[in-house]
Amino acid sequence: MIPRAPRHPLVLLALGLILLPWLVLAFGFTWGVATEIAIFMLVGLGYNLLLGYTGLLSFGHGLFFGLAAYCAALTQIHWFPDSMLLPLLAAVVFAALLGAVIGFLVLRRRGVYFSLLTLAFTALTFYIVFRWTDFTGGENGLSGLHRHSMLGLSLDDARVFYYVTALIVFLVAWLVWRIVRSPLGSVLVAIRENEQRARFAGYPVHRYKLAAFVVSATVVGLGGALAAYLKLFVSADLVHVIFSGEILAMTIFGGMGSFLGPVLGAFLYLMFRELVSGYTAAWQFWFGLLFMALILFS
Amino acid sequence: MTSCPSPLLLQLFSDPSLLPLLLEQIVNGLLVGSFYIVLSLGLSLIFSLGGVVNLAHGAFYAIGAYLAYEVEKRLGFFGAMVISPVLVAMIGIAIERLFLKRLYGKDPALGLLFTFGLALVAEQSLRMIWGTTGLPFSIPEALRGQLILGDLIYSYYRLTILAVSVLAVLGCWLLLNRTPFGLVVRAGVRDPEMVRALGISLNPALAAIFALGVGLAGLAGVMSAPLAGVQPAMGSEILTATFVVVVIGGLGSFWGVVLAGLLVGVVRGITVFGCPPGAEASMYLLMVLVLLFRPRGLLGERFEKFE
């Protein structure tokens, strides 16, 4: 019997994050998988701020995820080899700035053109990253990352890393929740429903969209940086359009209409991946069918 | 190790005899461009009439190539070039009537998402049926060899692709502009409600255009098989490029797509000559520039449903 109060999304999220490892381990998977799920929950929340709440379909978030991961990696390799926190912060700041610049360019267009512009930017960035071998490691990617420790606990321990990640996820989710529940969030929904009307009501719609874009990019970027530390490796396929598609699929699958939808989507998507790939390499085939059915019948 | 700017580019200014090399790359680029045109025309037609962003377009391209592999074993390359696109078109009709039809009235994003799922399923199916490694596909005997004009060398096969592409484009143009069916399609792109109000059902046109569109993709797949090979990821690789050409040309414009395909090809040719690592990125940069300064594309028209 769950009393009323714990139905608050953040409480559910907290419960979910605490219980997640047990669930994942029960299926025979690793703490690493649990951490990955937590990271993608975060990514989904950030992405949904743009998709579900503001109504902007972006194919570009692989770009933020991947470039922030590269930023964290490169910052640690070249400037702060003894710290994990500083590269993480650098990556977050970088993602925010990148979000602002790209958002400014991309939000000048609406509808399909907006989506295609994000697609173009991602594809463009992918090829630059892929080919700039001297800087980004090109096809081979970058390795040589270290997690170090925090408050005396070594982050190389997968369990510790999971809980630290989960804590970060929860805190940022709380931030996103505050945004969504604020007047800003209401304006975003107004923009989604009828942009012209919001503009007539006097809201500087462009600035609101940009704000949503930047926050979304930053949150997704944080996810990317955390993922870099999870895998201790970054490569160009994080910046790929297909990866953006996966983020989109996860969010839609879980449901973009609710706050926790993407969280569920991330969980289901990754569990599905892990479970089905135990049987067949073509897990995406089954996911694709499921996804198509979902779209047709919902 | 390729570098940018390439040594060739720098030498060009002092050594004019390198000009034919540049020309050769440009012509190569035009050939690649004509090939993109066939693909992009299909995508543009589906988008214009049905309003569906067909993310599975690349998958149909791949299916065309794989089917060609099978048909070629039994009926030769020319048989494959005819039959494979027809088979792909038939699959297209089935998909359109069974599934896409249900999504027309709804949020345009649903069509996009559905075809996204379809693309996943199709690519994985190809992997499951034919394996994850590529299949061998060689240029047919009759089309091997090269045409030599002075300093320039063109392979017969590429010239054939050029010819087939030109025929396909002209065929489409004739279909759209000189037949009653084409009239219905053009009207349906402009104002579907009015067409329906006049008592003309768009359903046959929708199915036919989707079939034509993916059939063209299949044809492109057949043509590219001897050059780029046949492997499961070929669909997703070509997909973004196809979108780029459609967007640069202008959503809803026939000649825009043709112009864009040629432009992308030429730009690619020049980039391969002058800055090789940037060759793939060049078209995306072009698309970014076009979208920022002329979002309707080079020859696109203003359609409310896109904005």
Side-chain angles (χ1 to χ4, degrees):
Chain A
M1 261 290 304
I2 304 178
R4 289 229 81 170
R7 288 212 207 127
H8 185 286
L10 286 177
V11 176
L12 285 173
L13 179 65
L15 278 172
L17 285 170
I18 293 171
L19 293 173
L20 185 66
W22 310 119
L23 197 57
V24 167
L25 289 169
F27 274 95
F29 305 132
T30 64
W31 283 88
V33 170
T35 318
E36 200 176 348
I37 293 179
I39 290 175
F40 278 101
M41 286 179 174
L42 181 67
V43 168
L45 282 171
Y47 185 68
N48 201 35
L49 187 66
L50 203 61
L51 179 65
Y53 286 96
T54 320
L56 292 168
L57 182 78
S58 157
F59 281 107
H61 281 57
L63 196 163
F64 299 117
F65 187 90
L67 285 185
Y70 267 100
C71 179
L74 288 166
T75 326
Q76 193 183 56
I77 291 174
H78 294 289
W79 290 342
F80 305 116
D82 296 322
S83 164
M84 182 179 143
L85 192 62
L86 285 172
L88 255 173
L89 283 174
V92 170
V93 170
F94 176 72
L97 287 172
L98 195 64
V101 169
I102 293 189
F104 176 75
L105 291 171
V106 154
L107 285 166
R108 297 170 70 194
R109 304 296 163 215
R110 278 175 267 162
V112 176
Y113 294 115
F114 164 79
S115 304
L116 291 173
L117 251 181
T118 59
L119 188 98
F121 265 106
T122 309
L124 177 64
T125 316
F126 171 77
Y127 280 113
I128 294 176
V129 166
F130 193 64
R131 291 285 174 212
W132 201 355
T133 319
D134 293 334
F135 190 50
T136 64
E139 281 176 53
N140 301 318
L142 288 174
S143 51
L145 301 172
H146 302 284
R147 280 190 214 158
H148 303 298
S149 56
M150 194 191 258
L151 299 175
L153 293 164
S154 166
L155 289 165
D156 284 315
D157 182 341
R159 284 170 296 178
V160 175
F161 190 68
Y162 171 78
Y163 283 110
V164 170
T165 307
L167 185 65
I168 295 176
V169 170
F170 182 76
L171 289 172
V172 178
W174 179 79
L175 261 169
V176 174
W177 172 255
R178 297 295 302 144
I179 291 176
V180 157
R181 300 283 285 179
S182 72
L184 169 66
S186 305
V187 177
L188 292 180
V189 174
I191 293 173
R192 180 189 77 204
E193 292 299 316
N194 193 331
E195 188 175 323
Q196 204 174 45
R197 196 166 172 187
R199 193 174 288 127
F200 288 165
Y203 289 106
V205 163
H206 187 76
R207 267 187 244 166
Y208 277 93
K209 288 203 282 190
L210 187 61
F213 197 88
V214 171
V215 172
S216 178
T218 315
V219 173
V220 172
L222 174 61
L226 287 170
Y229 282 110
L230 172 65
K231 308 267 178 178
L232 296 175
F233 176 71
V234 287
S235 67
D237 30 90
L238 293 175
V239 191
H240 204 279
V241 175
I242 293 181
F243 183 68
S244 287
E246 288 192 336
I247 298 176
L248 172 66
M250 267 186 253
T251 310
I252 302 267
F253 200 63
M256 57 186 192
S258 68
F259 184 75
L260 286 181
V263 168
L264 185 66
F267 173 72
L268 289 173
Y269 184 80
L270 285 170
M271 286 301 276
F272 191 90
R273 183 186 79 188
E274 294 297 312
L275 276 168
V276 179
S277 51
Y279 293 103
T280 159
W283 69 273
Q284 284 178 327
F285 174 79
W286 299 106
F287 178 75
L289 282 179
L290 218 65
F291 193 76
M292 279 162 57
L294 181 80
I295 298 290
L296 274 177
F297 300 119
S298 67
Chain B
M1 192 71 190
T2 50
S3 63
C4 175
S6 74
L8 284 174
L9 182 66
L10 301 167
Q11 274 179 283
L12 184 67
F13 293 112
S14 50
D15 185 0
S17 75
L18 284 177
L19 206 58
L21 263 175
L22 175 62
L23 220 64
E24 189 174 340
Q25 285 303 339
I26 292 182
V27 173
N28 250 340
L30 284 172
L31 292 173
V32 172
S34 69
F35 173 80
Y36 279 140
I37 291 173
V38 172
L39 265 169
S40 307
L41 214 52
L43 188 66
S44 179
L45 283 170
I46 295 173
F47 193 9
S48 304
L49 185 65
V52 174
V53 178
N54 185 19
L55 290 178
H57 207 70
F60 287 107
Y61 163 82
I63 293 174
Y66 272 92
L67 286 176
Y69 172 80
E70 290 298 324
V71 175
E72 196 247 356
K73 284 193 285 193
R74 298 161 179 79
L75 295 169
F77 183 75
F78 295 100
M81 200 154 71
V82 170
I83 294 183
S84 177
V86 170
L87 288 175
V88 174
M90 279 165 40
I91 298 176
I93 295 184
I95 304 246
E96 200 272 341
R97 286 289 96 192
L98 288 172
F99 305 116
L100 289 178
K101 187 176 66 170
R102 297 167 203 246
L103 297 173
Y104 281 133
K106 306 187 193 171
D107 189 344
L110 287 180
L112 182 155
L113 292 169
F114 180 81
T115 54
F116 173 76
L118 183 63
L120 269 182
V121 171
E123 180 169 330
Q124 293 298 321
S125 308
L126 293 174
R127 269 176 217 271
M128 291 195 302
I129 302 175
W130 279 284
T132 47
T133 50
L135 296 172
F137 202 112
S138 43
I139 299 181
E141 275 292 338
L143 295 172
R144 288 190 202 154
Q146 290 137 344
L147 181 70
I148 303 178
L149 291 172
D151 280 334
L152 308 169
I153 305 174
Y154 302 117
S155 84
Y156 278 130
Y157 186 70
R158 286 179 196 257
L159 289 175
T160 318
I161 298 183
L162 178 64
V164 172
S165 306
V166 169
L167 283 174
V169 169
L170 284 177
C172 276
W173 188 86
L174 284 172
L175 182 71
L176 288 173
N177 291 284
R178 292 282 179 268
T179 65
F181 168 76
L183 191 60
V184 171
V185 171
R186 279 182 294 136
V189 170
R190 282 278 154 137
D191 198 338
E193 278 182 20
M194 186 54 102
V195 174
R196 290 196 183 101
L198 287 171
I200 302 170
S201 167
L202 278 177
N203 284 334
L206 286 166
I209 286 292
F210 190 79
L212 177 66
V214 302
L216 284 170
L219 178 65
V222 177
M223 295 197 297
S224 93
L227 292 177
V230 180
Q231 31 95 11
M234 63 192 290
S236 32
E237 282 165 8
I238 202 101
L239 186 66
T240 343
T242 316
F243 272 108
V244 167
V245 172
V246 171
V247 171
I248 292 178
L251 295 159
S253 160
F254 184 91
W255 292 113
V257 168
V258 175
L259 189 61
L262 296 175
L263 182 65
V264 164
V266 169
V267 167
R268 191 194 173 94
I270 298 177
T271 332
V272 166
F273 181 84
C275 179
E280 296 136 329
S282 64
M283 73 165 92
Y284 300 107
L285 190 59
L286 191 61
M287 175 169 167
V288 166
L289 290 170
V290 168
L291 273 177
L292 287 178
F293 297 113
R294 206 183 156 85
R296 275 168 264 140
L298 299 173
L299 297 175
E301 300 161 48
R302 184 165 219 138
F303 286 123
E304 246 184 57
K305 64 182 175 185
F306 300 150
E307 292 182 29

